[in-house]
Amino acid sequence: MRKLALVGYGKMGKLLDQLAPEYGFETVLRLDEVNNHAGAGITAENFQGVDVAIEFSTPSAVVDNLERLAKLRIPTVVGTTGWSQHLPHVQKIVADYESALVWSPNFSIGVNVFVRLVREAARWMASEPSYGAWAWEIHHATKKDAPSGTLEKLVAEMKSAGFNRRIDISSNRAGSHPGTHEIGFDSPADTITLRHSARNREGFARGALRAAQWLPGRKGCFEFADVLFEIPA
């Protein structure tokens, strides 16, 4: 079995740990806010023999964690959100140390298919000026970033598909909701609504483990869409 390190051991980390054997992994290192304070747990000694790491920590810790992992040349899957403004810096570090990274605002397979559906709808609607658009999401009250990285990705894909009119963006945070994203187009004649709703965190964990299976032996920065759609494993 491949050796897996979990950097971040909250709800997602514990779920990854539970599911890891199904994907051929033995978890050999578990780092949390206590034993990895200020990145102190990411050392060559601790990561000796580790094949791949999955990072699900916090926005304030993720960039430092990723830099340390890249310097150790540990292939890493990062599921933490709220740090995308630092992506160019992280990509440079990964390239400089010839390491490997898979990142995504969302590791749900369904969400990644949903992104492609939204992009195609936006491409067709770009030339229909009677249609306005909105983008909305809701997550649990403890989610720190709003709008979510997934909603930002959806809006970016709409714009890259040529939809240059205003997109009204809104977010809600309440209760324990695992996540719903909605994109809509409305005209005087009709409304089109596209929606993805997560039932629980399991889909995110399984996607991250699938990426962790795929990453070892590769170099560079990849998105989860590369794992699913573009680059043969």
Side-chain angles (χ1 to χ4, degrees), residues 127-138:
S127 59
E128 299 294 336
S130 63
Y131 285 84
W134 76 86
W136 168 80
E137 53 96 6
I138 183 171

Side-chain angles (χ1 to χ4, degrees), residues 139-217:
H139 279 87
H140 52 87
T142 59
K143 185 170 175 60
K144 301 185 186 306
D145 55 322
S148 69
T150 302
L151 196 70
E152 290 178 340
K153 173 70 169 175
L154 287 162
V155 171
E157 290 291 335
M158 293 171 71
K159 292 178 178 178
S160 70
F163 194 94
N164 296 319
R165 299 189 298 281
R166 178 175 177 269
I167 302 170
D168 190 79
I169 300 170
S170 59
S171 300
N172 293 114
R173 297 287 176 266
S176 303
H177 200 295
T180 290
H181 296 87
E182 180 180 288
I183 302 295
F185 301 92
D186 186 76
S187 78
D190 54 18
T191 300
I192 298 172
T193 304
L194 304 172
R195 173 180 285 202
H196 177 276
S197 295
R199 292 193 180 96
N200 52 49
R201 292 182 171 87
E202 186 173 319
F204 311 134
R206 291 191 179 277
L209 286 162
R210 181 164 169 178
Q213 287 180 315
W214 177 91
L215 186 58

Side-chain angles (χ1 to χ4, degrees), residues 30-208:
R30 301 166 179 86
L31 297 179
D32 58 23
E33 68 275 10
V34 176
N35 62 9
N36 192 44
H37 178 69
I42 304 177
T43 65
E45 181 181 4
N46 282 345
F47 278 81
Q48 186 173 0
V50 169
D51 294 301
V52 63
I54 301 180
E55 206 279 359
F56 267 96
S57 63
T58 63
S60 61
V62 60
V63 174
D64 184 53
N65 286 340
L66 295 180
E67 288 185 8
R68 292 170 184 267
L69 290 162
K71 290 175 181 179
L72 294 176
R73 295 182 176 172
I74 300 296
T76 301
V77 175
V78 54
T80 306
T81 59
W83 63 278
S84 59
Q85 68 273 27
H86 302 293
L87 180 60
H89 171 71
V90 170
Q91 288 173 321
K92 183 178 185 303
I93 294 290
V94 169
D96 287 347
Y97 287 92
E98 297 184 338
S99 189
L101 181 79
V102 173
W103 74 279
S104 178
N106 195 308
F107 276 91
S108 161
I109 292 170
V111 161
N112 281 268
V113 172
F114 180 64
V115 168
R116 294 199 160 204
L117 295 172
V118 166
R119 183 171 64 196
E120 188 66 10
R123 184 176 71 83
W124 283 103
M125 287 299 181
S127 59
E128 299 294 336
S130 63
Y131 285 84
W134 76 86
W136 168 80
E137 53 96 6
I138 183 171
H139 279 87
H140 52 87
T142 59
K143 185 170 175 60
K144 301 185 186 306
D145 55 322
S148 69
T150 302
L151 196 70
E152 290 178 340
K153 173 70 169 175
L154 287 162
V155 171
E157 290 291 335
M158 293 171 71
K159 292 178 178 178
S160 70
F163 194 94
N164 296 319
R165 299 189 298 281
R166 178 175 177 269
I167 302 170
D168 190 79
I169 300 170
S170 59
S171 300
N172 293 114
R173 297 287 176 266
S176 303
H177 200 295
T180 290
H181 296 87
E182 180 180 288
I183 302 295
F185 301 92
D186 186 76
S187 78
D190 54 18
T191 300
I192 298 172
T193 304
L194 304 172
R195 173 180 285 202
H196 177 276
S197 295
R199 292 193 180 96
N200 52 49
R201 292 182 171 87
E202 186 173 319
F204 311 134
R206 291 191 179 277

